[in-house]
Amino acid sequence: MSLRGADYVQRSEAICRILKSYRVLSGLTQDELAERLGVVQSLVSKVESRERRLDLIELQEYLRPLGRTVQDVLADLERIAPVRPAETVEELARDRIEAALETDIRR
């Protein structure tokens, strides 16, 4: 298992979209959420744009003013970006390598 496998970016981006949707559904602006968290607005922006990751404890605190839990995030993540079986990930990686090689050969 790779911690940074082929679907890492997709799932990481999905988490950011989930967090942003929670904020929007809560009717909060980035400024308002930042104020409730006791942080600057740019931190919220960076979290939503994948420039800044949250550790598990930070994520719990981030979700508190949104009325959400880590379990909510995980459930939504599995719904929109499910974990792929290892064989599928390996096949995808192999297909991408083959496509890259074909592109290089054509140059």
Side-chain angles (χ1 to χ4, degrees):
M1 177 178 95
S2 171
L3 293 178
R4 299 281 175 138
D7 64 332
Y8 173 84
V9 172
Q10 176 192 8
R11 290 172 57 81
S12 179
E13 289 172 346
I15 289 171
C16 295
R17 288 193 310 272
I18 290 165
L19 294 178
K20 181 177 181 178
S21 71
Y22 289 170
R23 176 182 59 77
V24 171
L25 289 170
S26 294
L28 297 174
T29 65
Q30 287 184 349
D31 283 323
E32 291 166 333
L33 178 56
E35 185 176 319
R36 291 183 184 192
L37 292 168
V39 300
V40 294
Q41 173 274 331
S42 62
L43 181 125
V44 174
S45 176
K46 288 178 181 181
V47 167
E48 289 182 0
S49 65
R50 220 177 120 236
E51 290 179 53
R52 166 80 156 70
R53 289 183 294 178
L54 301 172
D55 67 28
L56 186 56
I57 295 166
E58 289 173 321
L59 180 59
Q60 286 178 310
E61 293 303 314
Y62 191 94
L63 293 168
R64 192 176 314 264
L66 301 173
R68 301 295 182 135
T69 66
V70 172
Q71 291 83 359
D72 294 331
V73 175
L74 293 175
D76 287 334
L77 180 61
E78 286 308 308
R79 185 177 49 78
I80 66 172
V83 174
R84 297 182 186 162
E87 294 171 1
T88 305
V89 172
E90 290 171 4
E91 289 171 6
L92 178 62
R94 195 171 27 254
D95 291 345
R96 287 184 180 171
I97 290 169
E98 289 174 5
L101 290 172
E102 286 179 24
T103 302
D104 286 344
I105 291 171
R106 288 185 206 144
R107 288 183 187 172

